[in-house]
């Protein structure tokens, strides 16, 4: 039994989610990006989740729409961004629970894969693998190692499907 639960976000959570994002990332940039996602086609409310402890929002995750463009053309795909847990609630498994719940939602929606940019150590422990090994490229910031580009393969993934290889076009989370 844990003291928190994961559920889809609701409009009345948006201010509290902003506070979690600002506290976790240290500035408004990602919170502003979440507002842009919610206003764009990339917003997927079924995989925009919060962790709540009592009435308090203590974490959030989003799996958004993105694009994958390769030799076979452009197709929609799914990207996990952002993930945040309030500093006072970290290291209790809330981040992992949010990721697992969001992946379950993406699987239910029939997604073949979920890409992300993040720590290979953290996300590798949750089943993510280097994106490049599966023919997926991401334009990373200069400071990020190539292994930061990762992918989680869901049951609908077909390695023979050429539309599942290419370069990721990001949702509008960063500027
Ligand atoms: C990353 C984050 C969401 C993890 O949330 P959490 O609830 O603490 O995660 P969990 O409890 O599931 O896992 C905690 C473990 O992950 C590790 N971890 C957290 N962030 C990590 C990172 N960037 N790289 C490697 N390991 C990391 C912790 O050290 C901890 O391991 P330990 O207990 O063995 O020391 C949280 O630390 C956070 O909000 N960070 C700031 C925002 C951020 O970086 N988001 C991710 C962007 S990709």
């Amino acid at each position: 039994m844990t003291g928190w639960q994961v559920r889809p976000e609701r409009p009345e959570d948006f201010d509290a989610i902003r506070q979690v994002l600002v506290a976790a990332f240290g500035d408004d940039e990602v919170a502003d990006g979440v507002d842009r996602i919610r206003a764009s086609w990339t917003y997927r409310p079924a995989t925009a989740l919060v962790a709540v402890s009592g009435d308090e929002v203590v974490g959030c995750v989003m799996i958004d729409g993105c694009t994958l463009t390769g030799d076979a053309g452009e197709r929609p795909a799914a990207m996990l961004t952002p993930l945040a847990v309030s500093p006072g609630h970290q290291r209790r498994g809330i981040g992992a629970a949010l990721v697992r719940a969001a992946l379950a939602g993406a699987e239910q929606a029939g997604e073949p894969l979920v890409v992300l940019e993040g720590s290979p150590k953290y996300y590798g422990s949750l089943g993510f693998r280097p994106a490049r090994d599966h023919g997926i490229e991401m334009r990373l910031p200069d400071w990020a190692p190539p292994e930061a580009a990762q992918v989680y393969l869901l049951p609908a993934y077909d390695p023979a499907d050429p539309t599942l290889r290419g370069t990721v076009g990001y949702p509008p989370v960063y500027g």
Side-chain angles (χ1 to χ4, degrees), residues 42-122:
T42 64
Y43 184 42
R44 298 185 177 184
T47 49
L49 309 177
V50 287
V52 290
S53 174
D55 289 339
E56 186 190 0
V57 174
V58 296
C60 59
V61 67
M62 289 174 118
I63 289 182
D64 321 300
C66 65
T67 55
L68 202 49
T69 306
D71 294 343
E74 180 177 295
R75 63 166 288 156
M79 176 183 268
L80 190 153
T81 186
L83 168 69
V85 174
S86 293
H89 294 268
Q90 291 177 2
R91 303 180 82 165
R92 296 179 194 169
I94 297 174
L98 282 164
V99 171
R100 290 197 184 99
L103 289 171
E107 177 176 344
Q108 212 167 17
E111 292 294 337
L113 54 80
V114 176
V115 294
L116 63 73
E117 177 188 319
S119 157
K121 183 164 173 270
Y122 184 68

Side-chain angles (χ1 to χ4, degrees), residues 7-8 12 21 34 46-47 51 57 103 109 124 127 139 141 146 158:
R7 61 159 173 79
E12 58 267 31
L21 290 166
V34 163
T47 49
V57 174
L103 289 171
R139 294 194 185 93
D158 174 3

